[in-house]
Amino acid sequence: MVQVDLPVNETARSTAVDLAELRLRYGSYRRRQAARLVQILPRDAVRPLYRRARETARRDSQMDMLVEDPLALLVEYCERLLPLPTFELWCEDLARNPEAHLSDLDESPGGPTFDAPSTMAARSLTYAGRGWTARLCAFRDDAFWRGYITFEDVGRGHVHRTGSIFCEHDPGELRRRFLSFESPALEAFLRSALP
């Protein structure tokens, strides 16, 4: 886990999510908010807003984006317009309100995938005299959320994982199930993941 001298530090520790994943999640949050703004705008307001986005892109020399994806250009422009929280404030809110962030993630059309899962929660445990960090990694699979557990040997950095063992309708339920496991259950999953 990356440690930095920001308020993010506590969020990274409490969620066991590294800084790179936090930044990806924050970027995704910003894009979701901007896309939602575009969705609620009346149709006749979209064209003038897109014209302003194009003008801004021309001034900022972002012509490649202009040609490649007009919707991405509009969403990026809307990100700048919205009074969204800074990365540090967003991290503080994530640490205080993880369930609200999971709900927001669940309602979004994008989200974590099998190839790029998201860490939903983490716990510490001791097994065979060594410290381990167990992380719930989850992703959307059609109408369901699936997840698996990774186990990191804290002293050595080795990571082992289970197969997909969770399947729920929402990410909050996955997180609650993972957090409800008692130590013997987590140890059993760890033993099953070890070579």
Side-chain angles (χ1 to χ4, degrees):
M1 179 184 334
V2 175
Q3 297 296 323
V4 292
D5 294 320
L6 297 168
V8 174
N9 219 9
E10 193 55 40
T11 303
R13 266 197 294 277
S14 68
T15 61
V17 178
D18 69 15
L19 184 61
E21 184 174 341
L22 283 174
R23 288 212 179 273
L24 286 172
R25 288 167 83 173
Y26 175 67
S28 178
Y29 158 79
R30 289 182 58 87
R31 284 186 299 281
R32 280 195 310 277
Q33 300 309 312
R36 287 174 180 156
L37 173 63
V38 172
Q39 290 169 352
I40 65 171
L41 287 172
R43 286 179 67 103
D44 58 343
V46 173
R47 278 206 172 120
L49 188 62
Y50 178 66
R51 272 194 295 275
R52 279 188 267 153
R54 285 178 38 175
E55 290 166 10
T56 302
R58 280 192 187 107
R59 277 195 313 269
D60 296 348
S61 300
Q62 295 177 341
M63 294 305 292
D64 290 342
M65 183 170 207
L66 223 167
V67 173
E68 287 181 29
D69 190 346
L71 183 57
L73 175 68
L74 181 59
V75 168
E76 182 183 306
Y77 181 71
C78 288
E79 278 185 59
R80 296 182 199 177
L81 294 177
L82 289 171
L84 296 171
T86 63
F87 177 64
E88 291 78 12
L89 287 174
W90 178 85
C91 285
E92 289 173 13
D93 189 62
L94 173 63
R96 280 193 311 271
N97 305 295
E99 291 292 324
H101 284 261
L102 290 178
S103 179
D104 178 56
L105 188 63
D106 190 34
E107 294 168 3
S108 72
T113 63
F114 177 80
D115 293 327
S118 185
T119 304
M120 301 289 182
R123 297 175 56 188
S124 298
L125 70 143
T126 303
Y127 176 72
R130 294 198 313 258
W132 294 82
T133 300
R135 291 181 180 86
L136 169 62
C137 299
F139 57 94
R140 184 177 291 149
D141 183 21
D142 293 325
F144 296 99
W145 282 84
R146 300 189 187 277
Y148 56 87
I149 303 172
T150 63
F151 294 94
E152 180 181 355
D153 185 341
V154 176
R156 298 184 179 145
H158 298 123
V159 178
H160 308 279
R161 66 164 272 193
T162 66
S164 291
I165 55 175
F166 297 97
C167 181
E168 296 293 340
H169 286 284
D170 70 82
E173 188 57 34
L174 280 182
R175 185 174 187 275
R176 285 187 286 281
R177 284 197 49 221
F178 172 74
L179 294 174
S180 74
F181 286 149
E182 294 182 13
S183 292
L186 275 179
E187 290 171 12
F189 281 120
L190 172 56
R191 283 193 303 275
S192 75
L194 291 173

